[in-house]
């Protein structure tokens, strides 16, 4: 038999995993700590963890483990549909994390030679999904405040098949107004291009309904909106996400997906999590208060440029500190605090970090540790 490396498809040969936040297992073993001893600011998920009702429902469903789960996640999709006006179960697909749906969408709709338009910097799995099927993405650049103008998209959209857009964007925490998004969707429609709109962090935004395009899927047959149970619902390790689009798009994706993609415990927990409005309310209030506290603290560090944050994480330029993001991450880790070095994001240099908003005690520890390392001269700059 030939060497395995010679048998691999060409597009897979150069494929590498994406770098992500939340690599606490690796970080802990690197410095000889247990995972629980690391304060993880690199993964932007609910600092309160999942709803107790979701956890109880996992226990109540343990007896289902010996059977296959419902391959179409019917009950969960029905529960998701009831959250949005004018949406039925047939407008919803559930995935093994929202990441599965990124890959599924690309594999289902991108043909040889098709172009995917991807803003930079943004979540890395869109690009990886496109490369995995052997195609090259085309990138769109933001303005210096990391905002994307619909005019630039309109120009670059010519000939594209899929446009990816993350709102609010990871890692910049920038929210794009709905009128800019609809301008992009309308321009895409003229090109017969899909818009894959990732709203995984939108539930952390105040008045999220005003910013979501879920209510527009009937008007725009080219729109697919992505959501996740990883972020605000905190069901991170269970792996469950969903997408909302026209019945035609969803039907094709349901036919193309792998069977039993969402396990029985994830389906049950996600359904229960949706019903726990109290937990969501508490989470949103905590994020609002703590984001204000964390922003104030970060802005007191003179060497930092802190960007306005629309999501539950803050994006910071640390170049004046004398450290690269990687050096700062390393030093913070030695103190048991994990931050996201953003240099792996396409379009960013080595001087940006991202930190999640967590509870007061944790945020205080983050600020104290940062100040200990880079100094705490007041009078930070705030980019507007
Ligand atoms: C913007 C964005 N979209 C999608 C995902 C994937 O989330 P999951 O697969 O856990 O639902 C992430 C994870 O970090 C993300 O940041």
């Amino acid at each position: 038999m030939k060497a395995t490396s010679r048998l691999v498809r060409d597009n897979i040969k150069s494929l590498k995993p994406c770098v992500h936040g939340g690599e606490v297992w690796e970080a802990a073993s690197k410095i000889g700590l247990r995972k629980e001893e690391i304060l993880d600011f690199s993964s932007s998920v609910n600092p309160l963890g999942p709803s107790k009702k979701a956890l109880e429902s996992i226990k109540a469903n343990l007896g289902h483990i010996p059977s296959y789960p419902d391959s179409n996640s019917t009950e969960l999709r029905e529960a998701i549909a009831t959250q949005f006006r004018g949406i039925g179960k047939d407008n919803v697909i559930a995935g093994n994390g929202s990441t599965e749906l990124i890959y599924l969408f690309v594999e289902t709709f991108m043909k040889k030679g098709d172009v995917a338009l991807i803003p930079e910097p943004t979540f890395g799995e869109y690009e990886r999904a496109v490369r995995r099927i052997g195609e090259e993405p085309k990138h769109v650049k933001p303005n210096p405040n990391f905002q994307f103008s619909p005019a630039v998209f309109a120009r670059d959209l010519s000939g594209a098949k899929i446009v990816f857009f993350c709102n609010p964007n990871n890692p910049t925490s920038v929210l794009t107004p709905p009128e800019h998004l609809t301008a992009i969707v309308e321009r895409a429609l003229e090109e017969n291009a899909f818009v894959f709109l990732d709203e995984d962090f939108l539930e952390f935004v105040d008045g999220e309904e005003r910013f979501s395009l879920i209510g527009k899927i009937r008007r725009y047959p080219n729109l697919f909106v992505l959501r996740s149970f990883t972020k605000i619902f905190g069901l991170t390790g269970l792996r469950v996400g969903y997408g909302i689009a026209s019945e035609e798009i969803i039907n094709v994706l349901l036919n193309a997906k792998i069977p039993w993609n969402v396990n029985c415990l994830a389906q049950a927990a996600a359904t229960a999590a949706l019903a726990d409005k109290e937990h969501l309310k508490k989470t949103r209030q905590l994020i609002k208060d703590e984001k204000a506290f964390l922003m104030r603290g970060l802005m007191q560090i003179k060497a930092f440029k802190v960007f306005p944050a629309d999501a539950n994480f803050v994006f910071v330029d640390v170049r004046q500190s004398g450290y690269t993001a990687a050096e700062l991450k390393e030093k913070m880790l030695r103190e048991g605090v994990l931050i996201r070095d953003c240099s792996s994001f396409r379009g960013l240099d080595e001087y940006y970090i991202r930190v999640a908003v967590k509870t007061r005690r944790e945020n205080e520890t983050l600020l104290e540790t940062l100040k200990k390392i880079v100094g705490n001269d007041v009078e930070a700059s705030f980019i507007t």
Side-chain angles (χ1 to χ4, degrees), residues 20-21 43-45 95-102 122-126 166-171 196 198-201 226-231 235-237 239-242 313 345 354:
H20 290 295
S43 171
S44 307
V45 299
N96 191 260
S98 62
T99 302
E100 185 198 9
L101 301 176
I102 299 171
T122 197
F123 184 53
E125 297 293 350
Y126 317 137
C166 185
N167 197 41
N169 191 32
N170 174 10
F196 188 100
D198 184 339
E199 293 188 353
D200 274 12
F201 287 104
L226 189 72
R227 292 274 178 124
S228 181
F229 284 93
T230 290
K231 314 294 182 188
L235 295 176
T236 317
R239 312 301 305 128
V240 50
Y242 61 97
F313 49 85
F345 284 90
R354 188 193 70 203

Side-chain angles (χ1 to χ4, degrees), residues 109 140 353:
F109 291 110
V140 186
I353 61 163

Side-chain angles (χ1 to χ4, degrees), residues 58-249:
I58 293 174
K59 277 195 210 141
N61 279 276
L62 289 173
H64 288 145
I65 290 181
S67 314
Y68 278 104
D70 170 10
S71 189
N72 282 327
S73 304
T74 310
E75 202 182 311
L76 171 60
R77 286 164 56 219
E78 274 164 359
I80 292 167
T82 62
Q83 309 296 307
F84 307 99
R85 203 172 309 135
I87 301 293
K89 148 187 138 296
D90 296 338
N91 298 113
V92 183
I93 182 168
N96 191 260
S98 62
T99 302
E100 185 198 9
L101 301 176
I102 299 171
Y103 282 78
L104 177 64
F105 197 91
V106 167
E107 280 167 15
T108 304
F109 291 110
M110 274 191 80
K111 298 182 186 162
K112 200 157 179 43
D114 279 347
V115 172
L117 205 59
I118 305 181
E120 61 177 40
T122 197
F123 184 53
E125 297 293 350
Y126 317 137
E127 172 169 350
R128 187 165 181 275
V130 171
R131 292 196 183 280
R132 192 164 176 272
I133 58 148
E135 301 304 323
E136 288 273 321
K138 190 171 145 191
H139 297 283
V140 186
K141 293 196 188 306
N143 71 19
N145 288 336
F146 296 102
Q147 290 147 342
F148 292 96
S149 112
V152 174
F153 263 90
R155 191 195 59 209
D156 289 353
L157 231 151
S158 178
K161 177 69 173 282
I162 304 181
V163 180
F164 285 91
F165 204 95
C166 185
N167 197 41
N169 191 32
N170 174 10
T172 56
S173 211
V174 170
L175 181 72
T176 297
E179 54 279 14
H180 287 194
L181 293 175
T182 47
I184 293 169
V185 179
E186 279 173 14
R187 175 73 185 93
L189 200 52
E190 288 168 13
E191 291 288 329
N192 286 313
F194 289 108
V195 173
F196 188 100
L197 179 63
D198 184 339
E199 293 188 353
D200 274 12
F201 287 104
L202 195 65
E203 286 139 318
F204 289 103
V205 172
D206 250 357
E208 57 145 327
E209 297 81 10
R210 275 188 297 128
F211 298 99
S212 176
L213 256 53
I214 287 179
K216 301 255 194 271
I217 57 142
R218 296 216 179 277
R219 177 130 150 233
Y220 299 124
N222 61 333
L223 177 62
F224 181 93
V225 182
L226 189 72
R227 292 274 178 124
S228 181
F229 284 93
T230 290
K231 314 294 182 188
I232 202 158
F233 293 101
L235 295 176
T236 317
L238 278 183
R239 312 301 305 128
V240 50
Y242 61 97
I244 297 194
S246 70
E247 290 175 13
E248 289 76 7
I249 293 179

